[in-house]
Amino acid sequence: MSWITQTFSSTIGRKLLVAASGLFLIIFLIGHVSGNFLLFKDDGGQAFNEYTQFMTTNQLVQVVRWLTYISILTHIIVTIILTIHNKKARPVGYAEAHPSANSTWSSRNMGLLGTLIAVFLVIHLGNFWYKMKVGEVPLVTYESEGTLRDLYSVVLFSFSNLWYVILYVVMMIFLALHLAHGFRSAFQTLGWRHKKYTPIIEKVGLAFAIIVPLLFAIMPVYIYIITR
Amino acid sequence: MNLTLKVWRQKNPSDKGGFKTYKVNDISEHMSFLEMMDVLNEQLAVAGEEPVHFDHDCREGICGSCSMYINGRAHGPQKLTATCQLHMRHFNDGETITIEPWRARAFPVVKDLVVDRSAFDRIIQSGGYVSVNTGGVPDANEIPVPKQIADEAFSSAECISCGACVAACKNASAMLFVSAKVSQLALLPQGKVERKSRVERMVAQMDIEGFGSCTNTGACTAECPKGISQENIARINREYYNAKFTSDNV
Ligand code: HEM
Ligand code: FES
């Protein structure tokens, strides 16, 4: 075994992959939520569609796109391996246990929360990403920009369905819980712990875990209301 | 006080085991938990039953032998307290107390509440020492160690290797133990010489023993009778990456 495979088959080395991919996904979330803010612009979706056009054609964005695919796959594969390994480390459980006395619920249920997020991702990507890829998106013509793919209309159509709105809102709660532990945990895994910065990281992490999923959750609710 | 005890009984490693319920009466609130267990065992001996086996040695919170999972908590409900230092005044008259062994694949049950913690010994054997020749006792001021660093190393060295961190962790991870042992040596001049190969070998052995990985839940520190800090886990992560990416061991 070379030192590289040795490193990444150790528990600590694997956690390095989880933390690095998790932090990359956190950065991705910032970009994703900012871009989607254009949904709130009252221009019939033109700004949003122009942004979509930019995101699917700009070369640099394609690099980031592939980094995101790699991150999510790495994150999912490695966390599944670790979670199975961790379950095996205690074949016989306790008859009586009070884990809430020593740790938070989200920190103990990252696997469950992650699985729910993964299920959501499949639905979410199937709805928007897949339609963009196979071209099941109608076209729209703007005087200034010419003909673009009208993803905005797909978004409007999806979120006029109440069940879809509820699904998205609930899933954002799971994302919030995943981030509430994940954000700070990633820094600890990377060994970035310091008397000065750790309290700040913990506060920023908590704020991030509340604000970003909340902003995401507002979008389907807003669209639902304007399509009524 | 009068108590009902639900105790894990298991004849040997291959026995399935199960709970047995016992009553103990007139327990003084000043007794330690182990003294209460002694009362139970005397009672069992008189009745001609086999006493409950449990590990203990110093009974003053320094050897790390005692290891009971009491009412769903490693070393019971009291913070910063090993089972031997836990007093019966923290329980109520008439209470039912559940007593289980540490549960981890790497800590197989030997008998009743006794588990085999030699996995910890093997981790120490893999690198938890200083093997370079450090000479005789140097003059006190010859190797300057700042007070802050000395204190930090000492707080890591407080670990008594009881295994409560493994018992409390949802992943049965030994990261707090291993990180404390790596830290206490990595912080000091004599230990720095071998710091890279030490952390590489100890982590490799930790994984071989079948302990889980760290999810940073913090349960270990919360249940540790010595309050070994999460700082150690951040440090072992740093030490490990540094060693893996810069050591000469290919
Ligand atoms: C936008 C999506 C996601 C983000 C931003 C994210 C972020 C994070 C972060 C920052 C961590 C902490 C890493 C560490 O402890 O070092 C983490 C841990 C974890 N994630 Fe995710 N994650 C996402 C999606 C997922 C998915 C889809 C899964 C499904 C398998 C998943 C499963 C886990 C698990 C099991 C852990 C805990 C691993 C451990 O510490 O043992 N995550 N995540
Ligand atoms: S018996 Fe020595 S620490 Fe409890």
Side-chain angles (χ1 to χ4, degrees):
Chain A
M1 229 183 349
S2 86
W3 67 271
I4 298 174
T5 50
Q6 211 178 57
T7 302
F8 293 109
S9 51
S10 71
T11 47
I12 298 185
R14 286 189 171 144
K15 274 302 304 255
L16 175 61
L17 296 175
V18 177
S21 57
L23 278 184
F24 188 85
L25 291 173
I26 282 176
I27 295 168
F28 158 78
L29 287 182
I30 300 174
H32 196 29
V33 82
S34 319
N36 286 9
F37 242 78
L38 293 170
L39 284 171
F40 292 119
K41 200 165 174 195
D42 192 15
D43 63 350
Q46 185 176 348
F48 182 74
N49 282 337
E50 281 167 24
Y51 162 71
T52 311
Q53 165 85 4
F54 170 77
M55 292 304 278
T56 45
T57 50
N58 182 285
Q59 291 301 307
L60 201 66
V61 174
Q62 304 321 304
V63 176
V64 178
R65 173 191 300 276
W66 277 98
L67 283 175
T68 310
Y69 294 156
I70 293 167
S71 291
I72 193 75
L73 284 179
T74 307
H75 195 79
I76 291 177
I77 293 167
V78 181
T79 53
I80 288 175
I81 293 172
L82 283 176
T83 307
I84 292 171
H85 172 79
N86 293 343
K87 287 261 179 290
K88 280 196 193 143
R90 174 164 297 132
V92 182
Y94 295 105
E96 187 178 341
H98 298 292
S100 55
N102 58 37
S103 52
T104 60
W105 185 88
S106 51
S107 75
R108 295 191 308 274
N109 291 279
M110 293 298 275
L112 170 67
L113 292 166
T115 307
L116 290 166
I117 296 170
V119 170
F120 168 73
L121 274 180
V122 173
I123 300 170
H124 177 60
L125 292 177
N127 201 27
F128 300 121
W129 175 83
Y130 180 74
K131 281 187 188 159
M132 276 303 265
K133 286 280 161 194
V134 299
E136 275 176 23
V137 177
L139 298 175
V140 59
T141 305
Y142 299 109
E143 264 171 34
S144 52
E145 294 293 321
T147 303
L148 299 179
R149 291 195 283 176
D150 192 8
L151 189 64
Y152 184 73
S153 68
V154 179
V155 174
L156 283 196
F157 176 74
S158 295
F159 295 142
S160 58
N161 179 339
L162 184 60
W163 291 112
Y164 236 85
V165 176
I166 293 172
L167 175 83
Y168 268 68
V169 172
V170 171
M171 284 303 178
M172 286 308 110
I173 297 173
F174 298 141
L175 178 63
L177 289 168
H178 197 76
L179 291 171
H181 178 68
F183 193 103
R184 55 179 293 181
S185 176
F187 287 84
Q188 171 79 359
T189 299
L190 294 172
W192 296 342
R193 188 185 177 95
H194 191 279
K195 274 204 179 74
K196 279 183 184 154
Y197 306 111
T198 300
I200 302 173
I201 290 168
E202 288 177 358
K203 285 195 191 80
V204 171
L206 197 62
F208 187 92
I210 295 169
I211 294 168
V212 171
L214 186 67
L215 291 177
F216 273 125
I218 290 172
M219 291 167 190
V221 174
Y222 169 79
I223 303 278
Y224 181 73
I225 292 168
I226 63 164
T227 53
R228 289 267 83 193
Chain B
M1 56 209 285
N2 300 333
L3 299 164
T4 306
L5 305 174
K6 224 179 109 188
V7 186
W8 182 262
R9 303 300 312 257
Q10 183 173 337
K11 281 198 185 70
N12 53 51
S14 50
D15 178 26
K16 239 184 96 227
F19 283 100
K20 270 217 165 138
T21 306
Y22 304 101
K23 289 213 182 296
V24 284
N25 296 331
D26 301 323
I27 296 296
S28 156
E29 58 174 22
H30 303 302
M31 279 183 183
S32 76
F33 201 85
L34 296 188
E35 284 166 337
M36 184 278 294
M37 292 299 289
D38 294 339
V39 172
L40 168 68
N41 277 346
E42 276 168 24
Q43 203 172 296
L44 290 177
V46 169
E49 276 184 62
E50 173 136 20
V52 177
H53 290 242
F54 60 87
D55 268 325
H56 63 106
D57 189 11
C58 69
R59 296 209 177 191
E60 50 188 8
I62 53 174
C63 75
S65 300
C66 55
S67 52
M68 291 185 193
Y69 204 79
I70 303 163
N71 279 349
R73 307 277 302 275
H75 291 303
Q78 198 65 7
K79 276 210 178 305
L80 298 173
T81 308
T83 303
C84 59
Q85 296 291 90
L86 176 66
H87 286 90
M88 295 314 294
R89 57 178 167 273
H90 300 298
F91 297 88
N92 303 316
D93 187 26
E95 192 174 337
T96 299
I97 304 176
T98 309
I99 310 168
E100 299 173 73
W102 286 171
R103 295 290 190 193
R105 179 161 64 125
F107 287 168
V109 174
V110 176
K111 192 178 172 77
D112 296 339
L113 303 172
V114 177
V115 297
D116 179 359
R117 282 171 284 182
S118 50
F120 271 13
D121 300 336
R122 288 187 292 273
I123 293 172
I124 297 293
Q125 280 160 15
S126 72
Y129 47 78
V130 171
S131 64
V132 292
N133 193 347
T134 55
V137 180
D139 182 75
N141 294 324
E142 204 163 314
I143 308 173
V145 178
K147 170 89 166 71
Q148 198 193 342
I149 300 292
D151 287 350
E152 237 176 290
F154 188 78
S155 77
S156 303
E158 276 187 75
C159 167
I160 56 175
S161 313
C162 63
C165 43
V166 175
C169 175
K170 75 171 183 74
N171 305 337
S173 169
M175 278 285 274
L176 194 66
F177 165 77
V178 182
S179 66
K181 300 303 174 192
V182 163
S183 292
Q184 69 181 29
L185 297 174
L187 284 163
L188 297 175
Q190 293 88 343
K192 280 209 164 93
V193 183
E194 295 158 291
R195 70 195 284 188
K196 287 183 186 171
S197 44
R198 175 184 304 117
V199 69
E200 289 183 310
R201 290 206 304 262
M202 290 179 80
V203 170
Q205 189 63 35
M206 168 179 92
D207 287 347
I208 289 170
E209 298 294 346
F211 293 104
S213 74
C214 177
T215 304
N216 301 320
T217 68
C220 47
T221 293
E223 302 290 356
C224 174
K226 300 296 155 186
I228 300 295
S229 146
Q230 293 286 296
E231 197 75 52
N232 293 287
I233 295 184
R235 187 180 296 107
I236 197 181
N237 288 335
R238 286 198 300 273
E239 291 283 329
Y240 187 74
Y241 306 142
N242 182 39
K244 276 295 172 200
F245 293 116
T246 68
S247 81
D248 288 336
N249 309 323
V250 281

